[in-house]
Every structure is written in structure tokens, then in C-alpha cells.
Amino acid sequence: GAVVSQHPSWVICKSGTSVKIECRSLDFQATTMFWYRQFPKQSLMLMATSNEGSKATYEQGVEKDKFLINHASLTLSTLTVTSAHPEDSSFYICSAASGRETNEQFFGPGTRLTVL
Amino acid sequence: GQNIDQPTEMTATEGAIVQINCTYQTSGFNGLFWYQQHAGEAPTFLSYNVLDGLEEKGRFSSFLSRSKGYSYLLLKELQMKDSASYLCAVMDSNYQLIWGAGTKLIIKP
């Protein structure tokens, strides 16, 4: 099956620092990658959609200057949380779509970010 | 607006059967997904329905009625490890997933 990895699995950082999260599709080329955020006991919230080689499309209410997304290749997308604050503490999950007929998204294991 | 409704929480007994319902109203339809999510983990794919009817996969089955905007996930022979949240998601006309809030399923011995 399709495998998506995320790195790091968890990160603790000080307020005001930046954190980069990597999302990789290991055995397929991902035409589209998605970044989600999930707060405790809530559902997934789509932050942005990115296609390789083009700018990401951000959902309403998501600050593009704060959450920088780069999709440099068909197997790698990165999310950088700039000037992180405690309210950015959350579970960040990426998913990747190969564009095949099932439209299925394959999820990474998630990254738990804690901002002190 | 777009809306996905599913019960917040359900309780069932080990070995029994449980049905988790999902109703949706979306702009366009390109399939309905069910995902399982254990606490602190990312969702894992369970099923995909794009045509009306029942899809069976082992102990799990998923049903879709597009005319009614309705789906259910049926879990048979429940095991303790099935305790998790079950997320219903619909892919709209823009191929974006619209997520329900999830149903927390509690299995009791």
C-alpha cells in the first residue's frame, strides 16, 4: 500500500521559534498533498492544499505567512510554522493523493507540536 | 453550506454489531470515505463508496445512498481494539474532503 511518512513525530519548541514538518510519500508520487490540523477531541481541519511546483491553496482563516508550505517535489512537502505560539500547539497531519481513481488520501502518522 | 453529520459517541458490547450513520450535504459528490482514528494517531482508511450499495470488507461494511445523502459503517463481531473514532468524509466537486466531527465508539466487555 501507499506509505506516507512525517518527520518529526513530535516536537517541543519555545514560543517565537519556527518549526518545520516534513511529509514524504515513500512509494508513490503525490500530485497533491494536504495539511490538516486537529485539536483534541475535534475533527480534522484542512489548512491547505498543495500541488507540486505551485503555490499552496490555503483555507479561509489560515494565515499563509505563518504556515509556510513548500511542495518542491512529487514526494515531499514541508509545513513551517513560523513564530510559533502556544495556541499553535496541535496535531498536524499531512496526507497525499496519487490522483488515481479512488481519490483516496493516504495519511502520514502526524506530528504533535507543543509550543511552550 | 456543506455539512456532515454523525453521532458524537456510541457504545457497544464486545462481539456485537454496531452501525454508525453519516448524513451529508455537499456541493457535488466524488465519493464518501470512512476512516478509523485511534487516540493520538492519524486516520487510517477503512472504505470508499462512490456508487449506491453495500461494500463489504471483512468485519467492516459500508453503505451509500446518494439520493438520500446517507451512509453507514457497519462493524461486526466487535473487538476491544475497535474502540476508536470513526470519521465520515465526503469528497466534493472540487475533490476536497469535507470531514465529519467523528463518532467515538466505546466497546465494553
Side-chain angles (χ1 to χ4, degrees), chain A residues 77-98:
Chain A
S77 177
T78 60
L79 167 68
T80 301
V81 183
T82 62
S83 187
H85 291 285
E87 57 265 31
D88 298 324
S89 298
S90 186
F91 192 43
Y92 291 86
I93 309 172
C94 75
S95 70
S98 64

